[in-house]
Amino acid sequence: MSSNGPQKSHATLRYTSMRVSIFLGCLLVALLLGHFQIIPVSGQAGTIFLFLLAAVASAPLSYVLLSKQRDEMSTQITTKVAGMRSRTAERIAVQNAEEDAADEAARAAAAGKN
């Protein structure tokens, strides 16, 4: 487990699964409304319309209902990116120090020959 604890360790996976669940719930409602002819649909175009209706309905629901999970996911991603940036900066600093040391050694060797 990470230092964030078990609740925040998989924030992206949890947000995505909840988002998909909300979409599937909206899709189920849309399909039921279409099945009982509350929403008139016919053929493949009607089914596509129901999928689009579910997507449009699930977007604002997810925005409102999943704000906490979205914030946790954002924090998790930001922390990982900051860690990657600091490790990259450290690695570059080490490489620069090694190159400087090799350059100084080459200059000292060249000065010793003269």
Side-chain angles (χ1 to χ4, degrees):
M1 287 187 200
S2 70
S3 62
N4 291 337
Q7 290 290 2
K8 295 182 183 177
S9 63
H10 300 290
T12 304
L13 180 61
R14 187 172 49 258
Y15 173 78
T16 303
S17 64
M18 293 174 82
R19 178 77 172 90
V20 168
S21 297
I22 289 173
F23 170 75
L24 291 175
C26 289
L27 180 61
L28 178 64
V29 169
L31 289 173
L32 287 173
L33 292 174
H35 177 73
F36 292 112
Q37 296 298 318
I38 296 171
I39 298 175
V41 293
S42 61
Q44 188 176 6
T47 305
I48 292 172
F49 170 74
L50 292 177
F51 273 86
L52 291 174
L53 180 65
V56 168
S58 69
L61 287 172
S62 295
Y63 182 77
V64 172
L65 297 175
L66 300 180
S67 64
K68 178 182 172 189
Q69 288 78 14
R70 200 170 36 256
D71 291 342
E72 288 176 5
M73 181 178 66
S74 175
T75 301
Q76 180 184 21
I77 292 171
T78 302
T79 302
K80 284 185 180 182
V81 168
M84 288 172 51
R85 281 185 180 167
S86 68
R87 286 190 301 273
T88 301
E90 289 172 7
R91 194 170 58 241
I92 289 172
V94 167
Q95 289 173 349
N96 287 343
E98 289 173 356
E99 288 176 4
D100 290 345
D103 190 39
E104 289 296 323
R107 285 183 187 169
K113 287 183 181 179
N114 290 336

